[in-house]
Amino acid sequence: MGSNSHEDVLQPFLQPTAESNDELERILSDTHLPLVQRYSQATWIEMKLMFYLAAPAVSVYMMNFLMTMFTQIFSGHLGNLELAASSLGNNGIQIFAYGLMLGMGSAVETLCGQAYGAEKYEMLGIYLQRSAILLTLTGFVLTIVYIFCKPILIFLGESKEIASAAEVFVYGLIPQIFAYAINFPIQKFLQAQSIVFPSAYISGGTLVVHVVVSWVVAYEMGLGLLGVALVLSLSWWIIVVGQFVYIVKSEKCKETWKGFSAKAFSGLPGFFKLSVASAVMLCLETWYFQILVLLAGLLDHPQLALDSLSICTTISECAFMISVGFNAAASVRVSNELGSRHPKSAAFSVVVVIAIAFIISVFCTVIVLALRNVISYTFTEGPVVAAAVSDLCPLLALTLFLNGIQPILSGVAVGCGWQTFVAYVNIGCYYIVGVPLGALLGFYFKLGAKGIWLGMIGGTCIQTIILIWVTFRTDWNKEVEESMKRLKKWEDKQQITLKD
């Protein structure tokens, strides 16, 4: 199979197999086993399956995020204006593209996961190519937003000084858009097959290169914001090329990657509708807390507000990468089990991953509260900013707790194909409740950044409660049948939208 020697040694302990999936369903269905024995055995099997996917997925998302964070750290040590500019560029503009591309890519996650579980291997490569085509076309539209980012930021109320500096930074991120367009479909294609360690190795090596080159460009060559942004774009392209070479050369992908095919251009309108439904769901989540940064730029002291909030949101996003890794694992596990016609295993996987996410969320919350007075000095040397960050840490801790659980529920939704339904929930909770409430508390009641953040946390709480209620009321036998219908329609090249 072309695996490395150390992987051969670890495979009996780590590598999940189809037999493991079948065994899990058999154990959960065996009513002759005592209840404690049944669920203890099932938990052990599910933990192995889940952590095999989640551990490298968390590593991939974390290392990809760390590239952005190190870019922001290098920018921050250039000066407070540069920190505010890179924060606004990343959280106000770049995250727009990230959310849209990641969201559209989740259509591949649903279809590839269910197709792989149903052993329709040849369709995975077609789904990958269709998604890459659509995301690349979307990238050209997003480029226009990047080019006109300065007037957009000024129109939104940001200061001209910060918007001008952010413009320079954003221009350096234009190549990153097209790296996203290829990376996310490839990433979902590999995850659906439980091929996760190669991406982790590639991302880890790229992170080392990124830090070294960023330091040289920022301090030795003196290229400033534009230089560090271009290095970030280059790093993403290194990841894309590395993963694609792996797909082409690896024996593990020989059944799912048959080379480029003209079939990828068929059914694009229907695939676009499905991708848009996925994008709306995840974009609304990804952009939500970035609105906090944009609103903070409208406060009386925008630079201090942006600096303190950008540090808090960066820490939140760092912890969020753990949840996103488990989000991917939950999506793969649920979609694979539904495609394999294992309703009990799909339901049990949901319970296990939510329990794991709860424990991790509590741990992250405690760490942040314990380090509240020193955590900001990683990003900036300013004592004023450090005091502001310390004051916001209780809200940061609450956000970490909620963001530890909520993405897992979204992963379950992607695995089942519920993106359209969750999009409606997100609109109501985030943008009808959370954002207006935050603006009311922040501006009308003069609570500033705290008020904005507190109101938006309220929206997240409501959304999380709704998703928990819907998830635990799910008829998993019905979801199996829905997944079979979805795959048959796509295989027949008929247009389909995801289940509401």
Side-chain angles (χ1 to χ4, degrees), residues 71 74-75 78 82 165 168-169 172 213-231 234:
T71 297
F74 283 118
S75 301
L78 292 173
E82 286 80 1
V168 175
F169 182 81
V213 177
S214 293
W215 183 84
V216 171
V217 166
Y219 299 122
E220 296 298 316
M221 299 177 66
L223 296 180
L225 282 175
L226 179 61
V228 294
L230 285 172
V231 172
L234 173 64

Side-chain angles (χ1 to χ4, degrees), residues 449-490:
K450 279 187 177 181
I452 297 171
W453 200 343
L454 190 61
M456 297 177 76
I457 287 174
T460 305
C461 284
I462 297 172
Q463 186 246 24
T464 303
I465 291 169
I466 292 173
L467 291 185
I468 289 175
W469 179 74
V470 170
T471 299
F472 282 94
R473 290 185 70 254
T474 298
D475 182 342
W476 293 101
N477 290 301
K478 182 179 178 181
E479 291 303 320
V480 166
E481 297 307 316
E482 289 295 327
S483 71
M484 294 300 104
K485 292 177 184 177
R486 183 180 299 114
L487 289 173
K488 186 178 185 304
K489 289 180 180 179
W490 273 104

Side-chain angles (χ1 to χ4, degrees), residues 303-313 384-385 388-389 392 449 453:
Q303 186 165 317
L304 176 60
L306 279 172
D307 286 347
S308 59
L309 280 172
S310 68
I311 290 172
C312 287
T313 54
V384 177
V385 175
V389 170
L392 290 173
W453 200 343

Side-chain angles (χ1 to χ4, degrees), residues 138-464:
T138 304
F140 287 106
V141 178
L142 288 173
T143 301
I144 299 173
V145 176
Y146 276 49
I147 291 173
F148 293 100
C149 65
K150 180 179 177 179
I152 291 172
L153 291 172
I154 293 174
F155 175 77
L156 292 173
E158 308 300 336
S159 71
K160 290 185 178 180
E161 183 183 22
I162 296 176
S164 297
E167 178 186 41
V168 175
F169 182 81
V170 169
Y171 282 176
L173 297 181
I174 290 177
Q176 185 189 46
I177 302 173
F178 298 96
Y180 284 163
I182 309 300
N183 177 73
F184 291 131
I186 287 178
Q187 200 173 65
K188 305 305 182 184
F189 169 85
L190 291 172
Q191 286 174 356
Q193 303 171 69
S194 297
I195 301 174
V196 282
F197 282 99
S199 294
Y201 299 148
I202 292 168
S203 294
T206 305
L207 177 61
V208 175
V209 173
H210 176 76
V211 172
V212 173
V213 177
S214 293
W215 183 84
V216 171
V217 166
Y219 299 122
E220 296 298 316
M221 299 177 66
L223 296 180
L225 282 175
L226 179 61
V228 294
L230 285 172
V231 172
L232 182 58
S233 293
L234 173 64
S235 298
W236 274 93
W237 271 107
I238 292 173
I239 291 173
V240 168
V241 173
Q243 290 183 130
F244 183 71
V245 169
Y246 176 83
I247 290 173
V248 173
K249 297 295 185 180
S250 175
E251 286 290 315
K252 295 181 180 180
C253 297
K254 66 179 182 179
E255 295 296 325
T256 54
W257 177 259
K258 300 293 187 180
F260 295 102
S261 171
K263 292 180 181 179
F265 293 92
S266 65
L268 285 178
F271 201 89
F272 177 73
K273 292 179 182 179
L274 185 143
S275 298
V276 167
S278 302
V280 170
M281 170 193 154
L282 290 184
C283 285
L284 293 177
E285 294 179 7
T286 307
W287 297 339
Y288 183 50
F289 274 93
Q290 310 317 316
I291 293 176
L292 174 63
V293 176
L294 293 174
L295 290 177
L298 306 178
L299 295 172
D300 293 337
H301 303 286
Q303 186 165 317
L304 176 60
L306 279 172
D307 286 347
S308 59
L309 280 172
S310 68
I311 290 172
C312 287
T313 54
T314 299
I315 295 168
S316 176
E317 288 166 4
C318 187
F320 185 69
M321 292 303 108
I322 300 174
S323 300
V324 170
F326 277 94
N327 168 293
S331 174
V332 172
R333 289 290 301 120
V334 170
S335 60
N336 283 176
E337 296 295 355
L338 292 178
S340 299
R341 296 180 176 270
H342 294 161
K344 289 184 173 63
S345 297
F348 189 74
S349 179
V350 172
V351 174
V352 171
V353 72
I354 290 177
I356 295 170
F358 176 81
I359 294 170
I360 294 174
S361 299
V362 171
F363 177 77
C364 291
T365 299
V366 171
I367 291 296
V368 165
L369 289 175
L371 300 177
R372 62 182 296 182
N373 293 321
V374 297
I375 203 167
S376 68
Y377 288 105
T378 304
F379 301 88
T380 181
E381 300 172 0
V384 177
V385 175
V389 170
S390 179
D391 193 42
L392 290 173
C393 267
L395 293 179
L396 173 60
L398 181 56
T399 300
L400 291 181
F401 179 76
L402 290 172
N403 282 352
I405 298 173
Q406 181 272 335
I408 309 304
L409 299 170
S410 295
V412 174
V414 170
C416 294
W418 298 342
Q419 287 97 320
T420 303
F421 166 74
V422 178
Y424 288 130
V425 173
N426 289 351
I427 290 172
C429 296
Y430 289 166
Y431 298 95
I432 296 178
V433 176
V435 173
L437 181 60
L440 183 67
L441 293 174
F443 294 100
Y444 184 79
F445 289 100
K446 306 296 183 182
L447 296 179
K450 279 187 177 181
I452 297 171
W453 200 343
L454 190 61
M456 297 177 76
I457 287 174
T460 305
C461 284
I462 297 172
Q463 186 246 24
T464 303

